[in-house]
Every structure is written in structure tokens, then in C-alpha cells.
Amino acid sequence: MKTSGLVEGVLRRLETALLDGTYPANARLPSERALAEQYEVSRNTIREALQRLVARGLLRSRPGAGVFVSDQLRTSTASPWGQLVTDHPAVLGDVLEFRRVLEGATAYYAALRGNDEEHGRIRDLLTGLEQARTDGDQAAEASIDARLHEAIALASHNSMFLHLHASVLGILREHITLNGSSLRKLDTEVSGQLLQQHRAICLAICGRRPEAARTAMQAHIDYVVSRMESA
């Protein structure tokens, strides 16, 4: 097998190990020698694969200490973790499942604990979403959609939710924006349904109805799943 093929093979296996938690955030990877023995390739092949992952921001190299899994998402438009999920479509179901659990809970606590200023921010974003829908600006709709979900998470006032949301914020934001853009391009009915769902979520949160907020958020995620499966 050509060297490039070997590198790609190792790269995919390392990506899978990052995705399934074999090497969690901040974990130190085994030495090049150990990885070479594990994957039955040369150390040069391992080194090149690691360098590519470092360049993408998924790993970071500490001279004299080794190579570690990154816990920081880049601030660029496309995060390395978001790209990794995009490259592995099977993981998208896991992302949606995670969103259903996490965002259902954040909606619940945003309704229960959010203050007037935070609820006002949520209302403003809903107004912006409605205006973008009226203008037929799908890009703006998708962007505001993602910001609305962020505002709801911030209003939950739960340090663990905030930590989880912040640690995967790049993935969630890209995922929400990508799904929103894709679904809205299907037909105007989908766009209208998404707006109604966000309106129900926001009204429940700002009306301080926690259970209704959680139910509305989970119904929204379920709708996204169903539309993606039928697309």
C-alpha cells in the first residue's frame, strides 16, 4: 500500500478513537512507537497522521511532553470537531440525540431560572427569526436559529449545562446552522414549521412554563430528525 494510503488509514482510525472517547479531551496519546506497533505501520506514518490532526486543531503537541487531545475549539467559522462530525455522517444521529437531551433540559431551566433580560434577548432573537422568514433570508434564519439556541442555554443558569454547551458549542452551532439551512431549502412549509416550533419554545420559556418548554424543544429536535431521515 502506498504511504499516502497508510496515512489516511491511520488518520481515520485515530479520528474514530477521538470520536468514541478512546482518547478524551486533554488525554495524552500513546507514543509514536506504541501507536506504530498498534496500527502496524512505521513511525513516520504515525508522525504524519498526528501532524495532520495537530494542524486541524484536534490535537496539540507539547515539546518534551507528547501529543494531547485538544479541548479548545478554534474560533474560526468551521471548528475542527465540527468538520470531524461532518466527515463521519454516522455520528450525526448521536449529535441529534445529544441535542435532544441537552437542549430539552436547557429549555426547561431557561424557563425556570432565566431572568427578564435573558428572556428579553430570547424574544428579540425570535423577532429577528420572524423577520428573516418574512424577508426570505434563509442564511439569516439559520444564523439566528443557532444564536437563539445559545441564548436559551445561557438562560438555564446551570454551570454544568453551560460547560457542556461551551465545550461543544462549535459543533452545535455548525450543526444547527447546517441543518437549518438544509431543511429550509426543502420547501417553504418546512421553514414555516421550524418558525412555529421556535415560537412555541420561546413562548413557553418566556411564559415560565418549564415542562412546556422542554416538550416544545424535544418536539423540535424530533421534527428535525424526521425531516432529515425523509430527505
Side-chain angles (χ1 to χ4, degrees), residues 96-209:
L96 282 165
E97 188 174 277
F98 176 79
R99 281 187 59 193
R100 191 181 194 279
V101 174
L102 176 64
E103 296 196 75
T106 56
Y108 178 95
Y109 286 106
L112 189 68
R113 299 171 177 164
N115 58 41
D116 291 342
E117 181 179 351
E118 290 161 340
H119 285 179
R121 170 65 173 163
I122 289 171
R123 290 193 194 92
D124 289 344
L125 286 167
L126 176 62
T127 299
L129 194 62
E130 292 171 334
Q131 186 60 53
R133 160 77 171 146
T134 299
D135 295 340
D137 190 340
Q138 294 180 344
E141 277 189 86
S143 176
I144 296 171
D145 186 340
R147 286 157 53 200
L148 177 58
H149 283 265
E150 290 176 33
I152 291 170
L154 289 171
S156 71
H157 289 270
N158 180 293
S159 60
M160 287 305 299
F161 288 159
L162 291 174
H163 172 73
L164 282 171
H165 200 275
S167 66
V168 294
L169 183 58
I171 296 177
L172 289 180
R173 183 160 191 158
E174 288 170 36
H175 189 258
I176 294 168
T177 302
L178 178 61
N179 285 345
S181 296
S182 299
L183 291 176
R184 288 180 175 90
K185 289 178 181 177
L186 292 177
D187 54 54
T188 55
E189 179 185 351
V190 171
S191 181
Q193 286 291 329
L194 292 174
L195 179 58
Q196 288 181 25
Q197 291 161 15
H198 284 102
R199 188 179 290 125
I201 294 167
C202 294
L203 289 175
I205 290 174
C206 296
R208 300 192 179 280
R209 293 180 287 120

